[in-house]
Amino acid sequence: MTRAHHGPAAALAAAGLAMVLICGCGGSPGVPVGPEPGTAEHGPAELDITFRWMPSPVFGLFGPEGTFVRAYIESFELADAGRSTTWGYHGFVAASPSNIDSMIAAYPPDVSSERPGVGTAIFTGLRRVDDGNWTRIVLCRHGYRSVRDDRASGSSWTSRSDPPRPVEIDFRRVGAGPPDVRSGTNRTPDGDMFGDWRTTRLDFAAIYPTPTGDQNACATMTPPGVPQRAPAHSRQPWPTMAPSPGWSATSLL
């Protein structure tokens, strides 16, 4: 899950650092105000989230590879928020390493049933490594989050942009590949999005005390469409953005 020379303690500390809630006062003008969050098509009550994937030369968003990467990363984020693999898309556990429960436990979320969140996660490809049927794709994760805290004086939601960070996924192409899918308006897909392919390693917060080249690259990368907002306290969460490219109603072509 993490590089061996950093050790599990460093990985846990790094994950916690990446997910820590950054509070600030006041908001930036022009920030849209949305309604109270609704229920996602498939997701834990702790987190009402949408996913946006920005095109890049690193990998295509469609076809078997794009389907696998998008479905696995989205599944892991939902499973992490809900603290259970059951929130992953159909086939998620079978496509995961045998220690998937421990992997999820290693990344403490910043939302809970007492402090639910609303937001959008935005991913773009940074680089890739290929070796036969094995591939590593490094992504940069951006986005924003509003977390409810009714105990806060004079406000109900704390909103902030997520610190950008690398996400690393390793996978092998074995057996039947994932299906081709078309874009759509649904947040989540129907059916098995993984085929027989398997993830062999995932580092969902690949950050370290001594910043790596990937950390520096993600920190300086601001893909088009990533909102730039100052932290804020308010009575409403920042609304989610529409999923992109999203999932079609039937998923399969």
Side-chain angles (χ1 to χ4, degrees):
M1 178 178 61
T2 57
R3 296 180 180 88
H5 62 275
H6 292 287
L12 285 172
L17 177 64
M19 301 301 288
V20 69
L21 182 64
I22 301 174
C23 297
C25 297
S28 58
V31 174
V33 175
E36 287 288 316
T39 302
E41 294 162 20
H42 176 84
E46 289 84 352
L47 183 60
D48 179 9
I49 190 170
T50 56
F51 299 98
R52 294 179 68 83
W53 293 82
M54 313 303 291
S56 79
V58 176
F59 74 105
L61 299 182
F62 302 101
E65 186 172 88
T67 297
F68 186 90
V69 171
R70 290 196 296 128
Y72 196 89
I73 296 297
E74 292 181 12
S75 292
F76 192 91
E77 184 138 356
L78 293 172
D80 177 65
R83 313 314 290 155
S84 172
T85 57
T86 60
W87 293 112
Y89 302 156
H90 182 68
F92 171 63
V93 173
S96 298
S98 59
N99 66 334
I100 181 60
D101 291 317
S102 298
M103 292 169 60
I104 290 172
Y107 295 96
D110 62 354
V111 295
S112 66
S113 57
E114 293 78 25
R115 290 171 53 83
V118 179
T120 294
I122 302 171
F123 295 92
T124 189
L126 178 62
R127 64 180 179 88
R128 66 183 293 151
V129 180
D130 294 290
D131 185 4
N133 67 355
W134 172 91
T135 293
R136 169 174 295 171
I137 290 181
V138 181
L139 306 162
C140 291
R141 185 196 183 281
H142 298 77
Y144 60 88
R145 183 79 53 86
S146 298
V147 177
R148 190 174 70 196
D149 185 356
D150 293 331
R151 298 167 298 178
S153 176
S155 66
S156 298
W157 296 86
T158 299
S159 304
R160 49 87 173 159
S161 294
D162 297 327
R165 69 173 191 265
V167 175
E168 301 176 359
I169 179 171
D170 298 2
F171 58 94
R172 291 191 179 277
R173 300 171 183 81
V174 293
D180 288 331
V181 298
R182 55 168 71 98
S183 61
T185 58
N186 285 11
R187 291 191 187 189
T188 60
D190 299 324
D192 190 329
M193 294 292 101
F194 305 101
D196 296 328
W197 291 12
R198 296 292 179 264
T199 297
T200 57
R201 173 183 171 275
L202 179 74
D203 196 338
F204 200 61
I207 58 176
Y208 303 98
T210 300
T212 64
D214 290 342
Q215 285 175 245
N216 292 332
C218 288
T220 58
M221 177 188 295
T222 306
V226 176
Q228 301 298 304
R229 300 170 178 168
H233 296 288
S234 64
R235 295 188 180 277
Q236 296 287 345
W238 289 347
T240 59
M241 300 174 73
S244 178
W247 303 92
S248 64
T250 57
S251 293
L252 303 181
L253 287 174

